[in-house]
């Protein structure tokens, strides 16, 4: 299909939601950042519930104490911020940050890489589990089970930011994104929010509670990687 024949008239109006949720002076709270924060808090809460449910674990032996996850949330937040920011700087706008290195610290201006944040959390999990004497894969499994919620929220924020839109199309649910050219495009962010967020979370929920796959180390974490990848 030739994209030049796709007319904007076939698209839905873009909602034009302000990417900034709240601004107090120079400090701006972006929807993108809120997605990260809510995602981290949900994953922490959900991981605690999984780790405390003896039915889900081999021989009913809990893999870690709830206090371990209370402490880990700090490590996870640091991993997300450092990894996400580093990934964005290196792979999305490196020339700018070479010219203005102090801008690297201006995280309130936006600019986070989800893949970088994910790698940061994986590193944090590895170091934390070694320090606490917890099985790394058990920690990875319980954390991964709740991550899709954050994924979905961040993808919705991508939609609000009018970024990561899809290919030109003439489907009736297409949007004409403000910075996507004169063509109606797939709202790929919303597709990913549904698939990586809702569907993947439900699949992992079935694996943890119906199939009891937390009794098989690496299974839930591996399923998350396969589903997200």
């Amino acid at each position: 299909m030739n994209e030049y024949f796709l007319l904007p008239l076939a698209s839905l109006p873009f909602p034009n939601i302000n990417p900034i949720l709240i601004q107090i002076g120079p400090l701006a709270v972006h929807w993108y950042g809120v997605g990260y924060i809510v995602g981290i808090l949900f994953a922490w809460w959900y991981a605690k519930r999984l780790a405390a449910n003896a039915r889900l674990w081999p021989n009913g032996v809990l893999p870690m104490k709830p206090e371990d996850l209370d402490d880990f949330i700090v490590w996870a937040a640091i991993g997300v911020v450092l990894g996400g920011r580093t990934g964005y700087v290196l792979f999305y706008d490196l020339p700018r940050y070479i010219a203005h290195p102090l801008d690297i610290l201006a995280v309130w201006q936006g600019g986070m890489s989800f893949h970088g944040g994910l790698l940061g959390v994986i590193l944090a999990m590895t170091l934390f589990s070694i320090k606490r004497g917890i099985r790394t894969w058990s920690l990875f499994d319980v954390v991964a089970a709740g991550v899709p919620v954050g994924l979905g929220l961040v993808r919705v924020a991508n939609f609000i930011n009018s970024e990561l839109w899809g290919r030109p199309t003439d489907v009736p649910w297409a949007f004409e994104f403000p910075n996507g050219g004169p063509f109606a495009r797939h709202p790929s962010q919303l597709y990913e929010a549904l698939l990586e967020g809702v569907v993947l979370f439900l699949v992992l929920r079935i694996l943890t509670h119906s199939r009891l796959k937390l009794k098989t180390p690496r299974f839930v974490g591996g399923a998350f990687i396969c589903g997200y990848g």
Side-chain angles (χ1 to χ4, degrees), residues 38-60:
V38 174
I40 290 172
L41 291 176
F42 177 84
W44 162 69
W45 172 81
Y46 192 64
K48 287 186 67 174
R49 291 180 62 88
L50 293 178
N53 190 340
R55 183 182 72 89
L56 305 179
W57 299 97
N59 303 316

Side-chain angles (χ1 to χ4, degrees), residues 8-17 159 172-178 184:
L9 294 177
S11 64
L12 295 172
F14 188 75
N16 280 324
I17 301 171
F159 176 79
W173 57 86
F175 286 88
E176 185 182 355
F177 291 93

